[in-house]
């Protein structure tokens, strides 16, 4: 009877292939910035099934790469491409509007396989390109001053065929900066997306921004930060160059303000959040000696109760 119960429990807890795939996808999609390859290696070892791993990886890596705005170098080193939903022109193909090239990528390996020239229908009209390229030039200057190793790009997502004033169109600015230092047990990333909608009828430009900061520290612990912030702003439609300067000033203002608010909130952590914890941090500010718990009376009491003491 006992053996039957054990067999029943084993059958009840046995996962189907679909369940394994979903669990594997969860771990892959929730990997911290720059760490999905490490997570994938462990997931692969745990699954011990190449078919299940391959299916989970093929479904997870594209979403992860796009959400983390990863940057890949062209095989010929003629430029870089940001992997985003805005740059995606076809399955595994991503546009770099600055060089007018399309990269075909291997999502799981996170590399560009080859590059081709962009087709005319994949690029904006000459009129929209004036605004896009002016914005691209200004945002490049801002990113190079603000984010070490930061990458940015500007895409046209609506009104790509607009040839003259009198019609609406939309640009999207993407900024991605990452610092990966696994040898020092820390990785971090900054991601911001700015939707810029040019509304001709009211001669206004509406700006919507979303900023996201991620950090992971894992030296003798596991601490993660995932902070998000959204904002809105408006300005007037001007010439391409003047509009670009005005819009980049708006982006600079909001990103600087958000970073300053983050810094302020973390400086206040000891006096606010930590004080609200059920137990305050030890006055000694030292790590708990897990290797030598025998020095504590609680451990001795438990050993005595269980009869496992000397």
């Amino acid at each position: 009877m006992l053996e039957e119960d054990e067999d029943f429990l084993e059958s009840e807890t046995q996962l189907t292939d679909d369940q394994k795939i979903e669990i594997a996808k969860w771990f892959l999609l929730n990997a911290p910035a720059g760490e999905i390859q490490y997570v994938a290696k462990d997931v692969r070892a745990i699954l011990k099934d190449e078919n299940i791993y391959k299916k989970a990886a093929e479904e997870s890596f594209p979403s992860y790469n796009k959400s983390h705005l990863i940057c890949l170098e062209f095989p010929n080193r003629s430029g870089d491409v940001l992997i985003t939903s805005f740059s995606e022109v076809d399955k595994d193909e991503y546009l770099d509007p600055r060089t007018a090239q399309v990269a075909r990528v291997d999502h799981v390996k996170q590399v560009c396989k080859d590059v081709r020239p962009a087709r005319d229908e994949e690029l904006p009209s000459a009129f929209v390109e004036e605004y896009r390229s002016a914005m691209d030039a200004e945002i490049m200057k801002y990113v190079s001053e603000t984010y070490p190793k930061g990458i940015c790009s500007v895409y046209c997502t609506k009104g790509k065929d607009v040839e003259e004033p009198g019609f609406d169109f939309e640009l999207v600015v993407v900024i991605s900066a990452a610092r990966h230092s696994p040898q020092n047990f820390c990785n971090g990333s900054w991601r911001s997306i700015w939707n810029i909608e040019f509304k001709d009828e009211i001669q206004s430009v509406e700006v919507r921004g979303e900023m996201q900061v991620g950090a992971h520290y894992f030296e003798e612990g596991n601490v993660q930060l995932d902070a998000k912030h959204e904002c809105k702003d408006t300005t007037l439609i001007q010439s391409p160059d003047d509009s670009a300067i005005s819009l980049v000033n708006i982006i600079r203002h909001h990103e600087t303000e958000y970073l300053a608010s983050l810094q302020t909130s973390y400086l206040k952590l000891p006096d606010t959040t930590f004080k609200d914890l059920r137990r305050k941090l030890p006055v000694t500010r030292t790590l708990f000696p897990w290797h030598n718990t025998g020095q504590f009376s609680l451990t001795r009491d438990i050993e005595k109760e269980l009869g496992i003491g000397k």
Side-chain angles (χ1 to χ4, degrees):
M1 186 68 181
L2 184 59
E3 289 181 2
E4 291 177 0
D5 288 342
E6 288 177 350
D7 291 340
F8 173 76
L9 288 172
E10 187 176 344
S11 64
E12 284 293 297
T13 56
Q14 186 68 35
L15 296 173
T16 65
D17 286 353
D18 286 342
Q19 287 174 320
K20 290 177 183 178
I21 289 169
E22 288 303 312
I23 293 170
K25 283 168 59 179
W26 186 92
F27 279 105
L28 292 168
L29 289 169
N30 286 278
E35 297 179 38
I36 190 170
Q37 294 292 356
Y38 299 107
V39 174
K41 184 179 178 181
D42 290 340
V43 167
R44 191 176 199 168
I46 292 169
L47 287 172
K48 297 178 181 177
D49 188 316
E50 280 300 306
N51 291 329
I52 292 176
Y53 168 75
K54 186 177 179 182
K55 189 166 184 179
E58 287 175 348
E59 292 181 18
S60 303
F61 270 84
S63 298
Y64 179 91
N65 293 340
K66 285 185 280 188
S67 65
H68 282 262
L69 309 177
I70 72 165
C71 178
L72 300 178
E73 187 178 37
F74 291 150
N76 56 11
R77 302 198 174 188
S78 61
D80 303 295
V81 63
L82 275 171
I83 308 303
T84 77
S85 58
F86 311 108
S87 60
E88 190 172 18
V89 295
D90 204 349
K91 187 180 185 320
D92 300 336
E93 290 193 337
Y94 296 85
L95 170 69
D96 174 41
R98 191 174 299 141
T99 61
Q101 296 185 95
V102 173
R104 192 161 61 92
V105 308
D106 183 321
H107 278 288
V108 176
K109 293 181 179 178
Q110 294 184 317
V111 295
C112 285
K113 294 192 285 189
D114 54 54
V115 183
R116 65 169 174 81
R119 304 185 188 98
D120 289 343
E121 62 269 21
E122 294 168 338
L123 299 172
S125 66
F127 173 74
V128 175
E129 178 60 19
E130 277 193 80
Y131 281 89
R132 194 212 66 77
S133 59
M135 188 72 202
D136 190 46
E138 285 297 318
I139 203 70
M140 279 180 68
K141 284 191 265 183
Y142 162 66
V143 170
S144 65
E145 295 166 358
T146 311
Y147 301 104
K149 298 183 181 179
I151 303 293
C152 61
S153 196
V154 183
Y155 309 97
C156 178
T157 54
K158 291 180 184 176
K160 192 182 297 183
D161 301 325
V162 171
E163 297 282 357
E164 59 186 11
F167 300 91
D168 298 347
F169 62 94
E170 185 174 352
L171 301 178
V172 173
V173 174
V174 175
I175 300 173
S176 177
R179 183 175 181 180
H180 301 148
S181 186
Q183 69 276 15
N184 293 314
F185 308 100
C186 64
N187 294 301
S189 69
W190 166 276
R191 289 164 275 168
S192 59
I193 297 172
W194 298 88
N195 295 77
I196 302 168
E197 193 170 357
F198 289 77
K199 296 191 172 182
D200 185 82
E201 186 177 346
I202 57 176
Q203 287 295 293
S204 173
V205 184
E206 294 187 358
V207 181
R208 290 176 288 111
E210 180 181 316
M211 293 159 272
Q212 185 170 356
V213 181
H216 184 208
Y217 294 89
F218 47 99
E219 183 175 14
E220 297 186 357
N222 187 354
V223 180
Q224 292 194 52
L225 163 72
D226 187 7
K228 296 180 183 179
H229 177 69
E230 295 181 358
C231 61
K232 293 181 180 180
D233 213 323
T234 57
T235 186
L236 298 174
I237 293 180
Q238 303 171 69
S239 68
D241 289 340
D242 290 339
S243 287
I245 293 170
S246 175
L247 289 165
V248 170
N249 284 336
I250 287 174
I251 291 172
R252 178 185 288 109
H253 166 73
H254 285 287
E255 292 195 348
T256 302
E257 191 176 65
Y258 178 52
L259 285 169
S261 70
L262 281 176
Q263 187 174 8
T264 301
S265 65
Y266 296 140
L267 287 173
K268 291 181 179 178
L269 275 178
D271 298 322
T272 55
T273 308
F274 287 165
K275 282 191 175 180
D276 291 335
L277 295 175
R278 187 176 179 186
R279 292 176 183 270
K280 293 183 180 180
L281 292 173
V283 176
T284 58
R285 296 184 180 274
T286 57
L287 294 174
F288 186 88
W290 293 104
H291 61 283
N292 185 22
T293 58
Q295 63 183 290
F296 295 97
S297 61
L298 178 61
T299 304
R300 292 195 297 270
D301 291 344
I302 292 174
E303 289 178 345
K304 186 177 178 181
E305 283 292 322
L306 296 176
I308 58 176
K310 291 182 181 180

